[in-house]
Amino acid sequence: MSEPSRKQNDAKYSIAHKLRELREENGYTQSEIGKITGKACSTVASWECAKGQPDADTFLCLCRFYGVDRVLETFGYIAPPPDRDRDEEELIDRFRALSPAAKKLVLQMVHGLCGIEISSSIEPESPEAGNGGENRLIFRLKKHKPFGDERLVR
């Protein structure tokens, strides 16, 4: 079985198991759930043994009925880890530990490497502008040729 098919199959069995568990925890029979959803008892049974699945509307109706607020977590969905290598994870961790001012500086450097220059300055507001002469922070974006990769390759 291919990897996507295996994952789909695992999800199908996980959903089936959880639907049965929720029904039993709440003290309902398959017949009662069939009446609530407007489906045959045999249809509910097929959901619980992974031979079928409820359509999206019925699935969400069952979740509301059982009081399931966090659908993905309840049904065992675990987000795949991001596609990052160890160096990228380390950069993210170190960036998160920086002060706001240091983060701003790092972002300026990264944008500079990518061809966007960000500069900022604090300029006094004129009293005529209606702000009582307060200072204002000005950001300027300037697109330029990025740091030459050809120099790094040689």
Side-chain angles (χ1 to χ4, degrees):
M1 185 182 301
S2 70
E3 188 61 29
S5 296
R6 183 173 291 123
K7 286 181 182 179
Q8 288 171 341
N9 208 26
D10 290 347
K12 190 174 183 177
Y13 282 103
S14 175
I15 290 169
H17 174 74
K18 194 63 180 179
L19 286 174
R20 178 182 200 122
E21 183 180 285
L22 287 167
R23 178 182 56 78
E24 290 174 347
E25 283 176 2
N26 287 279
Y28 291 98
T29 65
Q30 289 177 339
S31 179
E32 290 170 321
I33 295 302
K35 288 178 186 172
I36 291 167
T37 60
K39 307 292 182 186
C41 175
S42 60
T43 301
V44 175
S46 73
W47 297 339
E48 292 182 4
C49 65
K51 291 184 179 169
Q53 288 183 312
D55 60 62
D57 290 334
T58 304
F59 179 74
L60 293 175
C61 175
L62 286 167
C63 289
R64 278 192 301 276
F65 180 75
Y66 291 133
V68 173
D69 294 326
R70 302 176 79 103
V71 176
L72 293 177
E73 291 171 15
T74 300
F75 284 87
Y77 176 79
I78 300 170
D83 187 23
R84 298 183 192 125
D85 63 26
R86 200 170 71 210
D87 290 338
E88 290 169 316
E89 289 294 335
E90 183 180 348
L91 281 171
I92 291 168
D93 290 342
R94 287 181 180 211
F95 181 80
R96 288 179 177 161
L98 295 173
S99 69
K103 285 180 182 179
K104 181 180 170 186
L105 179 61
V106 168
L107 288 173
Q108 287 177 335
M109 292 181 338
V110 169
H111 287 296
L113 290 172
C114 295
I116 301 171
E117 180 182 329
I118 301 175
S119 62
S120 62
S121 62
I122 298 176
E123 297 179 0
E125 185 80 48
S126 67
E128 296 85 34
N131 289 353
E134 295 177 2
N135 292 335
R136 62 184 174 156
L137 182 60
I138 306 292
F139 287 95
R140 292 178 186 83
L141 298 178
K142 179 181 174 187
K143 197 162 179 133
H144 64 84
K145 186 177 179 185
F147 184 63
D149 290 340
E150 67 278 353
R151 288 185 281 166
L152 293 175
V153 176
R154 290 183 196 186

